């Protein structure tokens, strides 16, 4: 496969691809539609406005926005101008935003009106001054000096030509989700977006301009950015955006009203939807394929979903550091309970504690080599060296590979347990617990027993109206897994701690146990 040219601007690349589709709908959001022609026009106007406001090449711009058509306009406008959007989670605290502003030294901020108060509080706490504040869909009085998004765009002339960026120039940042602690500013290039579309979006998903894509994962998330921008815009498809949380009811409304053909979700979301009494009938939707990532998808969930909708869920694994999915099941080649095989263009190795490859069937640390890897973690040399090792990226996940080349998730490296000297995958125990008809979710950690030996402890969320004895659940796991794997300790909880992108934060459960 050829590479993007040395002189490359991803926004201009997308606009050029779609100039023959100017009237075609690019985005459907809660307010209406945006055509491909309007998307380019508004993004180029925003690029000019940022430049007129004094934001210079390679300076950072905080992007704190709910999913609406203003999000891709902002992201692509920044890329077109050669400035660097820093897309951040919309569910964080003012302290988190204060840290990100200081850490990125953002010169401007683009914010949804609904999120303005939190950002203002953050700006008051931080030590770094943001010079330009642009508010999308304001909900009240504007702060002094702030600019209104639509008025700013309307007043600007479209920027005549894209900034002459290089394919390896820093294009944008994403912050890691914090599933293991402090978020890290992950720096990606313009070319990385191109690579994920060419290696995964087109050949694996098989997207075409006739598809309607809908992602429960938000656009600030690496997974959501590919699903709702990079991949569909690379083929001229239409995207449905939703500002609100992706609850089952909210998701079902879009499935029925807008008839998406491809849906992108996460295991927690699929489990919640299948448990909902409002699950639509198969004939009420137009789904041809679903994708799952973020955490490994239990095969039981995928099978139940297919039985109801006749639609496969292809599970895959990606990361903020690699930008999108690098191991995946394929349509027509889904092996339930596995993450599939490496995506063409990526190399994968499983290594033991000695750094050498492990044989099939043994648990190893997952390393990836591929062209979409991030450049570094900003201002974090130690973590950058730990993760980005020459051409290889250490994922922090543990996997096994079978004789057919399919990979099965065995947990995060820091979540893995050794019970009686043998590795136990928390995910394997969780997936088994979730096969019980009363269980909605489960999370497993290690807990020391009276002898100081590590045993498994399960935190279990039951489905509404269900009840079950802990001894019954323990016996249920014992019957299905090796005896040393069953949870010696079990606690029923109302909910599990998660990141805003739905990943279970097992480290918080470990902290809770230490403090008990």
């Amino acid at each position: 496969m050829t590479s993007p040219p040395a002189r490359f601007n991803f926004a201009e690349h997308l606009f050029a691809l779609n100039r023959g589709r100017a009237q075609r709908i690019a985005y459907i959001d809660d307010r209406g539609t945006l055509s491909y022609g309007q998307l380019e026009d508004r993004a180029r106007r925003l690029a000019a406005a940022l430049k007129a406001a004094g934001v210079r090449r390679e300076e950072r711009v905080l992007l704190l926005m709910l999913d609406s058509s203003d999000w891709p306009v902002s992201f692509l406008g920044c890329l077109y101008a050669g400035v660097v959007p820093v897309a951040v989670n919309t569910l964080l605290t003012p302290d988190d935003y204060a840290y990100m502003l200081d850490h990125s030294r953002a010169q401007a901020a683009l914010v949804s009106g609904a999120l303005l108060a939190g950002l203002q509080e953050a700006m008051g706490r931080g030590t770094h001054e943001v010079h330009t504040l642009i508010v999308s869909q304001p909900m009240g009085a504007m702060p002094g000096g702030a600019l209104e998004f639509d008025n700013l765009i309307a007043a600007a002339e479209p920027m005549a030509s894209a900034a002459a960026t290089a394919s390896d120039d820093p294009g944008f940042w994403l912050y890691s989700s914090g599933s293991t602690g402090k978020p890290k500013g992950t720096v990606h290039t313009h070319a990385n977006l191109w690579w994920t579309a060419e290696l995964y979006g087109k050949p694996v998903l098989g997207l075409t301009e006739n598809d309607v894509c809908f992602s429960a994962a938000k656009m600030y998330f690496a997974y959501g950015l590919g699903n709702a921008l990079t991949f569909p815009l690379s083929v001229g498809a239409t995207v449905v955006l939703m500002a609100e949380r992706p609850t089952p009811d909210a998701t079902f409304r879009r499935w029925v009203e807008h008839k998406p053909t491809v849906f992108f979700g996460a295991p927690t979301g699929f489990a919640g939807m299948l448990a909902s009494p409002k699950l639509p009938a198969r004939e009420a939707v137009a789904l041809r394929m679903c994708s799952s990532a973020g955490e490994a998808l239990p095969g039981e969930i995928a099978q139940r979903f297919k039985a109801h909708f006749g639609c496969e869920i292809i599970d895959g694994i990606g990361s903020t550091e690699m930008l999108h999915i690098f191991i995946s099941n394929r349509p027509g080649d889904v092996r339930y309970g596995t993450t599939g095989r490496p995506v063409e263009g990526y190399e994968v190795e499983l290594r033991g504690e000695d750094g050498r490859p492990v044989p099939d069937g043994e648990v190893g640390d997952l390393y990836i080599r591929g062209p979409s890897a991030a450049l570094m973690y900003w201002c974090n040399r130690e973590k950058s060296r730990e993760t980005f090792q020459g051409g290889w990226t250490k994922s922090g996940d543990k996997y096994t590979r079978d004789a057919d080349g399919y990979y099965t998730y065995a947990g995060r490296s820091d979540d893995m347990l050794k019970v009686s000297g043998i590795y136990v995958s928390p995910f394997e125990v969780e997936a088994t617990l979730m096969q019980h008809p009363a269980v909605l979710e489960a999370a497993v950690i290690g807990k020391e027993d009276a002898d100081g030996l590590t045993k498994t402890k399960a935190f279990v969320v039951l489905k509404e109206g269900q009840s079950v004895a802990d001894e019954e659940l323990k016996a249920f796991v014992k019957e299905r897994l090796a005896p040393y794997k069953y949870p010696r300790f079990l606690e029923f909880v109302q909910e599990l701690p998660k990141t805003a992108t739905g990943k279970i934060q097992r480290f918080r459960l470990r902290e809770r146990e230490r403090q008990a």
Side-chain angles (χ1 to χ4, degrees):
M1 178 179 290
T2 59
S3 301
R7 187 70 68 190
F8 182 74
N9 183 290
F10 185 72
E12 169 56 25
H13 165 71
L14 287 185
F15 297 154
L17 283 176
N18 292 299
R19 284 185 181 131
R21 303 185 179 96
Q23 302 306 314
R24 190 175 181 85
I25 294 174
Y27 285 98
I28 303 169
D29 66 9
D30 299 336
R31 297 182 297 169
T33 63
L34 188 77
S35 70
Y36 272 96
Q38 290 169 322
L39 173 64
E40 176 178 356
D41 179 69
R42 286 173 67 81
R44 290 174 60 183
R45 287 174 185 272
L46 179 65
L50 289 170
K51 186 175 180 180
V55 183
R56 298 173 295 183
R57 279 279 301 272
E58 299 183 12
E59 289 182 335
R60 270 76 65 193
V61 175
L62 193 81
L63 179 52
L64 174 59
M65 301 178 77
L66 300 173
D67 277 19
S68 75
S69 62
D70 289 348
W71 204 107
V73 166
S74 299
F75 185 83
L76 295 173
C78 287
L79 294 184
Y80 196 85
V83 301
V84 180
V86 179
V88 298
N89 190 323
T90 59
L91 300 175
L92 301 180
T93 67
D95 282 342
D96 292 319
Y97 298 135
Y99 163 76
M100 291 172 175
L101 287 170
D102 290 348
H103 183 245
S104 67
R105 298 191 288 279
Q107 297 300 301
L110 287 149
V111 61
S112 294
L115 306 173
L116 177 59
L119 182 62
Q120 284 183 281
E121 188 174 342
M123 291 166 65
R125 294 182 188 182
T127 59
H128 171 72
E129 182 181 357
V130 175
H131 298 293
T132 303
L133 178 63
I134 303 170
V135 182
S136 164
Q137 302 176 49
M139 300 181 68
M142 294 273 283
L147 304 169
E148 198 275 323
F149 190 86
D150 285 336
N151 292 340
L152 183 71
I153 287 176
E157 290 296 323
M159 189 168 168
S161 58
T165 51
S167 61
D168 286 339
D169 274 356
F172 62 101
W173 292 18
L174 299 171
Y175 274 93
S176 64
S177 63
S179 57
T180 58
K182 196 75 170 174
K184 298 176 288 291
T186 310
V187 183
H188 278 285
T189 68
H190 278 260
N192 286 359
L193 294 158
W194 185 90
W195 281 114
T196 59
E198 296 302 311
L199 296 178
Y200 182 76
K202 294 177 181 178
V204 176
L205 296 177
L207 295 181
T208 74
E209 67 176 0
N210 296 319
D211 276 309
V212 178
C213 299
F214 176 34
S215 176
K218 300 299 185 182
M219 298 180 79
Y220 62 75
F221 186 28
Y223 180 47
L225 177 62
N227 304 340
L229 191 150
T230 313
F231 303 158
L233 297 195
S234 292
V235 298
T238 296
V239 183
V240 176
L241 294 179
M242 178 173 70
E244 64 185 298
R245 289 178 57 247
T247 62
D249 285 357
T251 300
F252 297 157
R253 284 199 301 274
R254 273 74 181 185
W255 282 4
V256 172
E257 181 179 355
H258 298 303
K259 295 291 194 290
T261 57
V262 182
F263 176 72
F264 303 86
T268 300
F270 285 114
M273 288 187 286
L274 287 171
S276 171
K278 298 181 181 178
L279 188 70
R282 178 188 297 198
E283 56 271 17
V285 304
L287 297 172
R288 69 169 182 83
M289 182 179 64
C290 292
S291 166
S292 178
E295 285 193 308
L297 176 71
E300 184 263 347
I301 290 176
Q303 289 169 325
R304 286 171 52 209
F305 192 92
K306 184 177 182 182
H308 183 85
F309 288 110
C311 171
E312 289 180 324
I313 303 177
I314 58 167
D315 187 24
I317 181 176
S319 68
T320 304
E321 291 77 11
M322 294 302 296
L323 188 55
H324 215 277
I325 289 172
F326 46 82
I327 301 177
S328 183
N329 284 278
R330 275 94 167 152
D333 180 20
V334 175
R335 189 168 293 191
Y336 292 123
T338 80
T339 310
R341 295 175 290 112
V343 172
E344 188 173 348
Y346 293 93
E347 296 178 67
V348 173
E349 281 190 4
L350 300 182
R351 302 177 187 175
E353 293 179 0
D354 59 1
R356 297 178 180 178
V358 300
D360 288 349
E362 288 193 16
V363 174
D365 290 307
L366 177 65
Y367 287 76
I368 315 100
R369 180 159 62 188
S372 64
L375 294 173
M376 61 179 163
Y377 298 129
W378 184 258
C379 290
N380 196 333
R381 187 175 180 130
E382 179 182 357
K383 286 292 185 182
S384 292
R385 283 181 163 179
E386 185 180 311
T387 299
F388 305 107
Q389 301 180 11
W392 292 90
T393 300
K394 183 177 182 180
S395 73
D397 296 294
K398 285 187 179 287
Y399 265 80
T400 60
R401 183 185 61 220
D402 66 20
D404 296 326
Y406 289 80
Y407 287 74
T408 299
Y409 182 65
R412 289 288 299 176
S413 297
D414 48 8
D415 289 335
M416 288 295 289
L417 310 173
K418 264 194 175 179
V419 177
S420 303
I422 307 172
Y423 271 122
V424 174
S425 162
F427 177 78
E428 183 181 26
V429 182
E430 292 162 6
T432 303
L433 282 164
M434 289 172 63
Q435 292 174 23
H436 192 284
V439 175
L440 177 64
E441 293 183 303
V444 170
I445 64 168
K447 176 182 172 67
E448 287 190 356
D449 65 11
D451 297 321
L453 300 174
T454 298
K455 298 292 186 289
T456 50
K457 175 172 181 176
F459 295 84
V460 174
V461 180
L462 296 178
K463 295 176 181 175
E464 187 174 352
Q466 296 289 321
S467 64
V468 62
D470 57 356
E471 291 304 319
E472 179 183 334
L473 283 182
K474 290 177 182 179
F476 184 84
V477 176
K478 268 188 189 179
E479 292 169 3
R480 290 159 175 79
L481 298 178
Y484 66 86
K485 295 182 179 181
Y486 87 92
R488 306 309 203 276
F489 309 98
L490 196 145
E491 181 179 341
F492 295 102
V493 295
Q494 293 298 311
E495 61 182 5
L496 299 174
K498 297 173 185 174
T499 68
T501 53
K503 293 183 182 180
I504 296 171
Q505 294 176 310
R506 294 176 186 84
F507 76 96
R508 295 202 181 280
L509 295 173
R510 291 193 292 267
E511 289 173 356
R512 172 177 160 179
E513 282 299 302
R514 285 195 294 268
Q515 295 166 4

